[in-house]
Each structure stands twice: as C-alpha cells, then as structure tokens.
C-alpha cells in the first residue's frame, strides 16, 4: 500500500509517521508513506499556496493550482483508489471505513488548512472527504496521521498478532472487554476468577457479555448503528 500525504506543515507529521507500528510497517516494505510539502508547488519566491477568499469572508483559502499540479503529477506516475480530503464536514471516520481503506493499493490524503481549500478542488479532484470528529483542528495533519495509523495497523502482517487487531474495539460495533495482567491480586484488587479458570469457552462468553455491557453503558449509539446495518 502507498499513502501520499499533501500538507503545508510536513514537519508536523515526522514523528507520528516514523515511530512504532508505522515505522515497522515501512521497514517491512508493507506500506510506503510519502509526505509532500505543498509549498514546493507554490507561486513566487515565497511559494504562496493560499489567498483571500472571494466575497470578503475572513481567513485564507488554499489555492487550486498548486494542489492540482501536485495531485496531477502523482496521478501521472500511478493510479489512485481514493483522493481523500481531511475536513470537519466530511464523512465521520470509523473502524468500518478504516477496514475498507486498508484494502486499497494507493491513496492520497490532502490535509486541510487555513479556512479551507478552494471548493473546485473538492468538486474536481477529491473522491472522499473524511472527518475524525465534530471539532476543528488547526490543520488536517493530525487527522491524516490518525487515518494513516488506523488503516496501516490492520493491514495483514503489520501487527505480528493479527488476532489482537481483530479483537479491538469497534471491529464488531462493540467496545472491547476489560483486560488484565499479572499480578492476579494487587492491593486486594482481584482479576475476575473466570479469567483464571482456563475454561476458554466460558472466558469468551464472559468477554462478549462484558463487551455488550460496556457498549450499552458507554456507547449505546454503536448498538443502534448495528441494528440498522
């Protein structure tokens, strides 16, 4: 899989994209992540990529030309399954969407910034708009990092224990059950006896019961969503 991220703040992505699971995935050759500085495609000696909006609104808007030039150049080298724009008003990102994106071969992620991007980019270049939540970030870089991490970690082979990824919260519209480790008794705080029983079937039944209970208590909307799938 190849992920190309377009940003005006490439330094903001250096750390999250080069540690832990994402670093290992790249070293294994299971994913390529390329960060492109949009300012390299800007106009003039100051590499300008934004301008004032028509109509007199406040803020600055990312210009269509540098974005089009960069995306067109990438598309000339390979085909892309999706060109994603990170935006507060995009489709809400969730595990189901991450699972679908993990099956793709090449994607572009354009990080939103300033007041937004010239709407013609959204009309003619973008194929999918994604929001990671109902709030506004300074830019889409952190959203792009979240999307990349979520997608890459579920690519088969990236995590050595694939069953661990499949049992994460949200994979089946349920929150994960409680987990415990040694010691079994700490300050009188004891691990549930069922987990020490060695009875695998009963343990799985307990975990499902706990997952349902936690979801009903903390995220009942997930259960409502499951009823309408």
């Amino acid at each position: 899989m190849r992920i190309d991220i377009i940003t005006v703040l490439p330094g903001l992505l250096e750390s999250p994209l080069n540690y832990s699971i994402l670093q290992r995935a790249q070293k294994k050759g299971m994913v390529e992540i390329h960060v492109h500085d949009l300012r390299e495609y800007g106009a003039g000696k100051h590499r300008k990529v934004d301008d004032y909006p028509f109509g007199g609104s406040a803020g600055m808007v990312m210009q269509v030309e540098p974005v089009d030039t960069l995306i067109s150049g990438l598309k000339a080298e390979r085909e892309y399954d999706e060109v994603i724009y990170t935006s507060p008003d995009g489709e809400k990102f969730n595990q189901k969407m991450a699972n679908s994106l993990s099956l793709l071969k090449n994607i572009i992620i354009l990080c939103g910034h300033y007041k937004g991007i010239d709407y013609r980019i959204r009309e003619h270049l973008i194929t999918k708009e994604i929001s990671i939540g109902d709030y506004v970030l300074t830019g889409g870089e952190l959203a792009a990092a979240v999307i990349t991490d979520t997608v890459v970690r579920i690519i088969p082979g990236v995590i050595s224990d694939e069953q661990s990824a499949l049992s994460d919260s949200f994979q089946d519209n349920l929150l994960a059950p409680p987990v415990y480790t040694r010691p079994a008794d700490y300050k009188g705080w004891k691990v549930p006896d069922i987990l020490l029983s060695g009875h695998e079937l009963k343990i799985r039944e307990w975990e499902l019961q706990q997952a349902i209970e936690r979801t009903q208590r903390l995220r009942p909307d997930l259960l409502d969503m499951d009823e309408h799938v």
Side-chain angles (χ1 to χ4, degrees), residues 6 25 188 197 222:
I6 300 173
S197 69
L222 292 175

Side-chain angles (χ1 to χ4, degrees), residues 3 8 37 52 70 101 127 136 163 175 197 203 209:
I3 302 175
V8 295
D37 186 352
Y52 294 103
L70 177 47
L101 292 175
T127 63
V136 178
Q163 188 61 39
L175 299 183
S197 69
I203 290 173
Q209 178 187 7

Side-chain angles (χ1 to χ4, degrees), residues 8 33 50 62 75 81 118 162 165 174 197 208 227:
V8 295
I33 303 175
D50 63 305
M62 290 172 64
K75 285 184 173 181
D81 302 292
D118 188 303
E162 293 183 12
L174 292 175
S197 69
L208 177 59
E227 291 176 358

